[in-house]
Amino acid sequence: QVQLVESGGGVVQPGRSLRLSCVVSGFTFSSYGMHWVRQAPGKGLEWVAVISYDGSNKKYADSVKGRFTISRDNSKNTVYLQMNSLRAEDTAVYYCAKDLLGGDYRGLFDYWGQGTLVTVSS
Amino acid sequence: DIQMTQSPSTLSASVGDRVTIPCRASQSISSWLAWYQQKPGKAPKLLIYKASSLESGVPSRFSGSGSGTEFTLTISSLQPDDFATYYCQQYNSYPWTFGQGTKVEIK
């Protein structure tokens, strides 16, 4: 069955960096766009970033543009989120999610990981 | 950006009730709308896409309707497992955006 497993979360000071990973199984990873979506404690869902099936296209939410970088390694079935210059408002559970449609991406999320908590605090 | 509005933020209902959850988009999104269910401490689960298409494995008591700017998620007969928060999401255009959620709680 489809599985997405995030890791790399933790407590980090403002201004520092963190890299999240998401390892997937159960589907042809190299055929699908992949997203990161976050949820601040007690709040709603916010889409963060997307990468196309082959890594050639990427998009970011304005709130993270220039600070976060999404990447993927299709040989390792893994998608990454490099987070730099972290701020208190980046504190959230970060989910990786699979795009429902193959190819680039559609912005529709059919499978999600369990999430990894990032806390930005001094 | 397209704003998605869900109201009320909390809805009280009893087992067996018919429940409708509204969602409004700030501009037309055709039928490019999805609904997700989220339980505490868990990841969201896709229920409905393209406004009214039921995701595989989702019980038929869930249905979606609407187009343009007005949408509704309906649970025909609320079951104990359905007490959760429901989010609508537009995928008409980037950046993809979610409503703030409607929590369905036990009356």
Side-chain angles (χ1 to χ4, degrees):
Chain A
Q1 75 277 23
V2 173
Q3 284 193 312
L4 295 82
V5 180
E6 301 96 336
S7 61
V11 180
V12 61
Q13 293 179 328
R16 303 298 292 264
S17 299
L18 206 59
R19 189 177 84 155
L20 307 182
S21 301
C22 172
V23 179
V24 315
S25 60
F27 66 96
T28 306
F29 178 68
S30 59
S31 295
Y32 292 89
M34 294 295 297
H35 302 261
W36 288 95
V37 179
R38 69 184 180 183
Q39 186 170 36
K43 302 296 185 182
L45 300 163
E46 179 188 18
W47 171 80
V48 173
V50 65
I51 187 167
S52 62
Y53 69 105
D54 61 356
S56 61
N57 291 320
K58 305 174 186 181
K59 289 189 184 294
Y60 300 92
D62 284 347
S63 58
V64 306
K65 201 172 292 182
R67 300 187 298 123
F68 289 13
T69 302
I70 189 171
S71 62
R72 67 190 295 158
D73 185 337
N74 284 348
S75 69
K76 296 182 178 179
N77 279 15
T78 303
V79 59
Y80 304 98
L81 187 67
Q82 177 67 43
M83 305 185 295
N84 299 333
S85 303
L86 282 161
R87 306 167 179 167
E89 54 266 35
D90 296 319
T91 294
V93 173
Y94 285 73
Y95 296 100
C96 66
K98 171 186 168 290
D99 201 279
L100 185 145
L101 297 180
D104 269 350
Y105 38 76
R106 191 61 183 88
L108 181 58
F109 320 114
D110 61 344
Y111 288 97
W112 300 61
Q114 84 288 352
T116 187
L117 177 61
V118 173
T119 303
V120 184
S121 173
S122 54
Chain B
D1 298 4
I2 298 175
Q3 307 303 317
M4 305 300 296
T5 301
Q6 291 183 249
S7 181
S9 57
T10 304
L11 187 159
S12 298
S14 301
V15 173
D17 284 353
R18 180 182 180 87
V19 171
T20 58
I21 300 171
C23 172
R24 173 176 293 176
S26 61
Q27 64 189 75
S28 178
I29 58 171
S30 185
S31 295
W32 304 118
L33 183 102
W35 289 96
Y36 300 86
Q37 177 194 65
Q38 187 179 34
K39 297 180 180 179
K42 300 296 186 181
K45 173 187 176 182
L46 177 65
L47 300 176
I48 301 278
Y49 61 96
K50 208 174 179 183
S52 60
S53 296
L54 196 67
E55 173 69 343
S56 176
V58 174
S60 58
R61 63 180 179 273
F62 291 92
S63 63
S65 63
S67 66
T69 61
E70 303 285 340
F71 301 87
T72 301
L73 174 69
T74 299
I75 310 172
S76 60
S77 178
L78 196 66
Q79 298 302 301
D81 191 49
D82 301 337
F83 291 97
T85 299
Y86 294 85
Y87 293 93
C88 61
Q89 178 237 332
Q90 67 83 18
Y91 57 105
N92 178 76
S93 61
Y94 154 85
W96 304 291
T97 48
F98 294 84
Q100 70 271 39
T102 294
K103 182 179 180 180
V104 176
E105 63 176 23
I106 301 172
K107 191 172 186 178

